[in-house]
Amino acid sequence: MNYEAKDFMETADQDTLNMIARARKLTRDYYFSDYNDIQKRREILEELLGGMGENVFIDTPFHCDYGKNIFLGDDVIINMNCTFVDNKPIRIGNRVLIASNVQMYTSAHPVLAQERLVSEWKEKGTTFFRTFARPIEIKDNVWIGGGCIILAGVTIGENTVIGAGSIVTRSIPANCVAVGNPCKVIRRL
């Protein structure tokens, strides 16, 4: 994979750790909020997320790193036990269904050890590894089946269905059904 300097980020500086701690507190508050207190739950999500449309439902538990990099359109359902690692933006369009146990990872690490590991990390005051991040975009009218994993840099086109258990390593076009590991188009709609 080709990386650019802008793709890499430091994951353990104090500002980053503070943002993660903030997200952990808000997701914990959301988890323990009264399920029927829709106004309070929306207030927590508005504080946590970067942006959120109308008629958004996120079931618990819900996990994210920062929250502020997650942008949701109108009519979005995110079912229970989803994890969004939002080191870069995760943009989800309108009328999107996300089933239980879906994971979205905007970050990863280089495969080659010489690219992944930092030799003088203690002296530099960084982590011992390098992390890169790329955004994820889910277009309008998408349905993502249970247990899917969506990796960094992926875009899923409008009206597409991703079959349960798929691992999406590359972008998927609009108007299709895609399944598998790695996820591939099996039918055009």
Side-chain angles (χ1 to χ4, degrees):
M1 176 178 269
N2 294 325
Y3 312 102
E4 298 178 26
K6 67 178 180 153
D7 293 330
F8 287 96
M9 58 183 298
E10 178 54 50
T11 58
D13 62 88
Q14 195 56 53
D15 287 342
T16 301
L17 295 175
N18 290 342
M19 286 187 289
I20 291 170
R22 174 189 164 278
R24 297 292 188 272
K25 178 195 177 307
L26 290 168
T27 54
R28 184 179 58 247
D29 291 349
Y30 187 70
Y31 180 81
F32 286 110
S33 66
D34 182 344
Y35 191 79
N36 293 315
D37 191 345
I38 295 167
Q39 180 178 342
K40 177 64 175 173
R41 288 170 66 85
R42 180 161 180 99
E43 288 171 4
I44 295 168
L45 289 178
E46 286 175 346
E47 187 176 347
L48 173 67
L49 303 176
M52 179 174 66
E54 296 300 317
N55 195 34
V56 170
F57 177 79
I58 301 177
D59 206 345
T60 54
F62 173 73
H63 310 280
C64 62
D65 263 353
Y66 307 132
K68 71 180 188 79
N69 291 328
I70 300 170
F71 302 88
L72 308 176
D74 296 330
D75 306 316
V76 173
I77 294 177
I78 299 171
N79 217 317
M80 68 183 96
N81 205 38
C82 289
T83 300
F84 291 7
V85 178
D86 61 317
N87 296 105
K88 289 283 182 164
I90 296 175
R91 297 189 185 281
I92 297 173
N94 300 312
R95 297 168 308 280
V96 173
L97 303 172
I98 299 175
S100 300
N101 299 306
V102 169
Q103 302 164 58
M104 296 189 194
Y105 299 112
T106 64
S107 60
H109 311 285
V111 173
L112 297 175
Q114 63 268 27
E115 293 177 354
R116 182 175 59 253
L117 302 175
V118 178
S119 58
E120 297 174 355
W121 64 277
K122 286 184 182 177
E123 294 82 4
K124 293 179 180 180
T126 65
T127 56
F128 67 91
F129 56 89
R130 295 177 76 202
T131 300
F132 72 87
R134 293 189 175 138
I136 292 173
E137 186 167 8
I138 311 299
K139 302 284 189 166
D140 294 345
N141 309 317
V142 168
W143 172 23
I144 299 173
C148 288
I149 299 173
I150 300 171
L151 299 182
V154 164
T155 296
I156 298 175
E158 55 273 342
N159 307 314
T160 287
V161 175
I162 305 296
S166 295
I167 300 180
V168 187
T169 61
R170 297 176 195 256
S171 292
I172 303 294
N175 304 305
C176 67
V177 175
V179 299
N181 177 12
C183 189
K184 295 179 182 174
V185 175
I186 62 165
R187 180 174 145 204
R188 299 284 175 176
L189 301 175

